[in-house]
Amino acid sequence: ALVLITSCEDSDTVQITASTSINESIIVNFPQTNGASVDYDQTTSEDITEIVSNFDTISSINIDSLSYQFKNVIGNTNAIIETASIIIQGNVIATISNINIATEASNSSVFEITDEVILNQLEANFLNNTSLTIQFSGTGISDEGDLDFEIEVSMQLTATF
């Protein structure tokens, strides 16, 4: 009889990765201004555990891409956002000024965030928080009527388990 015993010992750790997309929108309702700038501040939150399955077993998160765009403009097409900040998890990802929202939406402009410092801060923050908070705040003027629009933030993530 032949008895063969073999042993395989592999010291390499198996890593499982999964990619996901997060698209979160903030609806901004901007009243007619009548010659004076007005402040606005809109925030939305999402439970990351509902977006990324097995969130509690993630060892690292990589943001492959992060962008925002303006969409679904209704109302005054001449309104101007004088200043604005887009904030994710308490980190300012973009500061904008003197933008005509209707023009940017009509052009389907996509604004990419590529600053590695910002992306690294967000990646570290996502590992320690189960909620995603996005804020859009600033000042604007819309003398010719009300303005409603949507700002959509899109992220492509790769999670390692």
Side-chain angles (χ1 to χ4, degrees), residues 138-153:
T139 62
I141 194 156
S142 184
D143 286 345
E144 297 172 25
D146 295 348
L147 170 68
D148 296 329
F149 64 92
E150 183 178 330
I151 180 167
E152 180 183 76
V153 175

Side-chain angles (χ1 to χ4, degrees), residues 61-125:
I61 291 177
N62 186 66
I63 299 174
D64 302 312
S65 66
L66 174 60
S67 63
Y68 66 93
Q69 68 182 46
F70 301 102
K71 302 170 89 174
N72 302 324
V73 174
I74 299 170
N76 178 15
T77 58
N78 293 317
I80 299 293
I81 299 300
E82 294 175 315
T83 62
S85 294
I86 302 167
I87 302 164
I88 300 177
Q89 306 297 86
N91 295 292
V92 176
I93 65 158
T95 302
I96 56 178
S97 61
N98 298 317
I99 286 186
N100 179 305
I101 297 295
T103 300
E104 299 302 337
S106 170
N107 291 339
S108 299
S109 301
V110 176
F111 301 92
E112 299 283 340
I113 307 302
T114 57
D115 185 322
E116 287 296 320
V117 172
I118 292 170
L119 297 176
N120 290 339
Q121 288 173 338
L122 291 175
E123 290 165 355
N125 191 292

Side-chain angles (χ1 to χ4, degrees), residues 9 16 32 37 40 82 102 117 148:
E9 190 173 312
I16 299 170
Q32 185 172 359
S37 297
Y40 55 88
E82 294 175 315
V117 172
D148 296 329

